[in-house]
Amino acid sequence: MTKVSLPIFECRDVTVRYGHILALSNVGAVFERGVIHAVVGQNGAGKTTFARVLAGLVRPASGQIKIDGRPLAGGNVKDARRSGVELVHQSFALPPSFTVAEAMQFGAQGGRFFTKANLEKRWQPHLDALDVKVSARQRIRDLPVETQQGVEIARALVSDAKLLILDEPTAVLAPEGVEKLFDRVRRLKERGVTVILILHKIREVLAIADTVTVLRGGKLVDGPLPCNGIDANRLAELIIGPAVARNLKPEDKAALTGAAVISHAEQHADIHAAPVLKMRAVSTRADPEGPALDGITLDIRPGEIIGVAGVEGNGQKTLVRAISALTDVVNGEISIDGTNVTRAPLAARRASGLRIIPFERNVEGLSMTSSLWENWSARNLLQIPLLSTISPSAIRRQCDTALKQWDVRYSDVSQRAGSLSGGNAQKVILSREMDEDARLILAAQPTRGLDICATSFVWESMRNARARGCGLLFISSDLDEILDISDRIIVMLSGRIVAEFRPPYDLAAVGAAMTGMLR
Amino acid sequence: MEDFVIAILRSGTPLIYVTLAGVIAQRAGIWHLGLEGLMIAGACATVLGIVLMQSIWLALLGAIMVCVLGSILFWFVVEKLKANQIIAGLGLTGLGLGGTALAVQSIFGTQAAVSAPFGLPRIGSAFGSFGSLSILVLIMPIIVLAMWFMLRRTRFGLRLAAAGEHPFAARSVGINPALMRLVALIISGVLCALAGAELAAGSLQIFAQNMTAGRGFMGFAAVIFGAGHPIGAALAALFFAIVGALGIRAQLTFGDRVPHDLLLALPYLATVLGIWLSTHLRGGTKAASGFGELRDQ
């Protein structure tokens, strides 16, 4: 038998370095035409780098890439696009102030001059043909994420794309959105487009892909392997790596790779204990960060992890900001450990045991240009009078001890926080926020962007805090991890709590609640 | 009334040119605080060019070259040396103000104002009392429309805006954001030269130290006031010119009864008021978000 078609794309010995970090090393693979390929791996495995190399956004230090048998000039987007390669980014790359039509136009060929009307006339049919339900006149910033993604895919298809790469397209979507996306991808396949999906959930891989390729630590582990008949457990082992897999609980392993839906059934909290956080009909005003909270009533008891599920931008940020006194509460009441703190400033709330692991660890969590000990001591410094003296050398010693306990890898407590890796930076925040006096911990996306080891470390820390009797509010956009470690799950939609779930959880029901389609 | 319109056109035209210079820079993602420096360099080069070369066209060409070189320097410092654009812009302004004083001092041996024997060509007597205005006033509306067309109705304009607003998005479709910014700054430099030329050789024919007197910064304010839209910003600049002209009118009318300094401060008060108004009408500055940083991934 002879092979009829050339591979759409092959790479050989592709190596990418960012400074001293080896992002990809000697990756070589051959991808067949006309099918859906999945590339999987944990954070830091090099998936995004791989996608960007293909799209010409990153120039490999060495190696060769061929599209359709034609060698690609490395690090040249124009050349990659000429060969028919288009990349849809994880956080979409569309200028927010542009209209949809303008966003189509700026990367397209032809139409050097235009009027508003002929722009719309040009692009509306294109959007309609791809079943992206949007008016070409709308502005990008006004669109919900799913639509933005549709627009970005439509943008990628303005020219005659042969190879479409989607970088973690499911990360921003609710389960229903994922289904719709997969339908769209299947239709593209029917049109003859080869699709590479960067994913990190095995469940999704098995639902959509024809082949799967596994990356770990910048190396190609295996692939492309045909997806039919592949074993999910085996795939999970490939993704995590044998050494780490041995030390993980089976349900954590499944949560990390999305291999199976986990649902723990232990109830840790004492339901008669007084709640550490009590919110009664709390409402706020809308602000640029997100919608207003609308009548939030919530109790968190000691020794309880409450998972907050929901599509991003449905009030999760406002919830954290309301509890941490960063936005005004218009109506309702917030109590921490029995004390009404509705009007209390953050310092007072922190004194009652509130701790925050913020959404943006590099912006809100740490001062990247300050030293580790300055960052670490910030919490205590807030609690002492403004004019009291401090002893930096004593703080440095305490900081050193504390960071060692938390297994932070660093060379000197005086080094800048910005020099740490994501996982280590998060550990500095954990060591500061998960102290013995903590009563209520807000953990906002604490594992985002972390690799496996750091992720499971964060989970363990949260479980330890729970065992000590802390109440935790755990916000994540990764449903698998919410299901794995939460004792109770609330679902937020447009600033309201629309559903509450107790174990055993039903992933489909949680997903439906996220989009307001709960029966 | 005619006098009043002429006065507004006279003071408004340089301001509109420098505002357009700020608009194109802002579209490309640069908050240009060096406008003042480039404008005075353009004014100085125009007058020195007339005096030394006896040709208005050579003088204009020289002014454009000086301002474009200044723009390229600014681009290099911001883009290649990764300097903060606000600081670099203020530095450019300092360089322009100081450099022009130094140039005059070293050529003429005095700090006094330099006057030129002739200035820009006039519109001509066919336009009645408007005839004394320079041709740069006449083509100003055309330039405003051309800028609007270029920035809002061409693919080049979209790419420039993409490079400014979301450099990574631009890069992912094969646009080089740094190059787009260079192009924008060069055009911006040409406009600054025209602003300076009109100021020094339009109705006056003189260069004095510090003669821009903050017009570059008012142009910058007009960019924000006009939300970065070429026509909006040009109208904002025109508004400032009207307020300024009214201030002068008021001085003539009220004489000593109203403090002189208060009337002189009118345009600047209007600037502050205008910006405050525009941000409130729009509900927060989308223009000011990401002030002074270039986002990329």
Side-chain angles (χ1 to χ4, degrees), chain A residues 460-476:
Chain A
E460 270 323 293
S461 312
M462 288 174 60
R463 288 180 175 130
N464 290 340
R466 169 172 66 187
R468 286 203 309 271
C470 292
L472 290 99
L473 186 74
F474 173 44
I475 297 165
S476 172

Side-chain angles (χ1 to χ4, degrees), chain A residues 38-51:
Chain A
V39 174
V40 288
Q42 283 296 316
N43 291 318
K47 294 171 302 199
T48 294
T49 304
F50 182 69

Side-chain angles (χ1 to χ4, degrees), chain A residues 181-237:
Chain A
L181 171 75
F182 285 177
D183 280 343
R184 183 165 285 157
V185 168
R186 286 188 198 102
R187 261 173 284 145
L188 289 176
K189 178 186 169 183
E190 283 161 21
R191 284 175 40 166
V193 180
T194 310
V195 182
I196 296 182
L197 288 163
I198 312 283
L199 295 171
H200 81 220
K201 300 253 156 124
I202 291 174
R203 190 175 346 104
E204 294 168 353
V205 172
L206 298 180
I208 177 92
D210 299 309
T211 82
V212 57
T213 302
V214 181
L215 293 176
R216 183 181 350 116
K219 293 200 174 68
L220 180 80
V221 179
D222 211 343
L225 303 165
C227 273
N228 38 1
I230 206 164
D231 173 38
N233 273 330
R234 169 89 191 104
L235 198 50
E237 290 267 341

Side-chain angles (χ1 to χ4, degrees), chain B residues 13-29:
Chain B
T13 302
L15 195 55
I16 287 175
Y17 279 117
V18 79
T19 299
L20 292 176
V23 167
I24 189 166
Q26 191 267 332
R27 285 297 272 185

Side-chain angles (χ1 to χ4, degrees), chain A residues 314-437:
Chain A
N314 273 291
Q316 295 95 324
K317 284 196 176 172
T318 325
L319 179 63
V320 169
R321 284 151 47 84
I323 301 173
S324 41
L326 296 174
T327 192
D328 290 336
V329 173
V330 180
N331 268 315
E333 198 181 301
I334 301 175
S335 310
I336 294 176
D337 239 357
T339 323
N340 184 342
V341 295
T342 317
R343 303 270 170 260
L346 177 56
R349 299 188 193 193
R350 293 194 71 112
S352 342
L354 173 67
R355 300 291 181 266
I356 307 156
I357 301 165
F359 281 99
E360 302 284 340
R361 76 176 146 263
N362 296 342
V363 182
E364 303 168 279
L366 294 172
S367 160
M368 304 304 274
T369 50
S370 305
S371 68
L372 293 181
W373 70 266
E374 284 168 322
N375 271 296
W376 178 83
S377 61
R379 172 177 51 95
N380 293 329
L381 295 185
L382 276 178
Q383 302 297 342
I384 58 177
L386 194 59
L387 292 179
S388 39
T389 55
I390 58 164
S391 155
S393 60
I395 294 179
R396 274 199 287 268
R397 271 196 308 279
Q398 291 161 13
C399 173
D400 201 38
T401 319
L403 295 187
K404 290 234 158 66
Q405 263 171 22
W406 281 84
D407 195 28
V408 182
R409 309 285 161 83
Y410 62 98
S411 53
D412 184 351
V413 287
S414 297
Q415 81 186 75
R416 294 187 314 125
S419 62
L420 295 184
S421 71
N424 275 316
Q426 190 68 308
K427 282 181 190 173
V428 175
I429 298 179
L430 297 182
S431 75
R432 185 180 70 201
E433 301 294 324
M434 290 185 151
D435 61 328
E436 287 82 41
D437 302 328

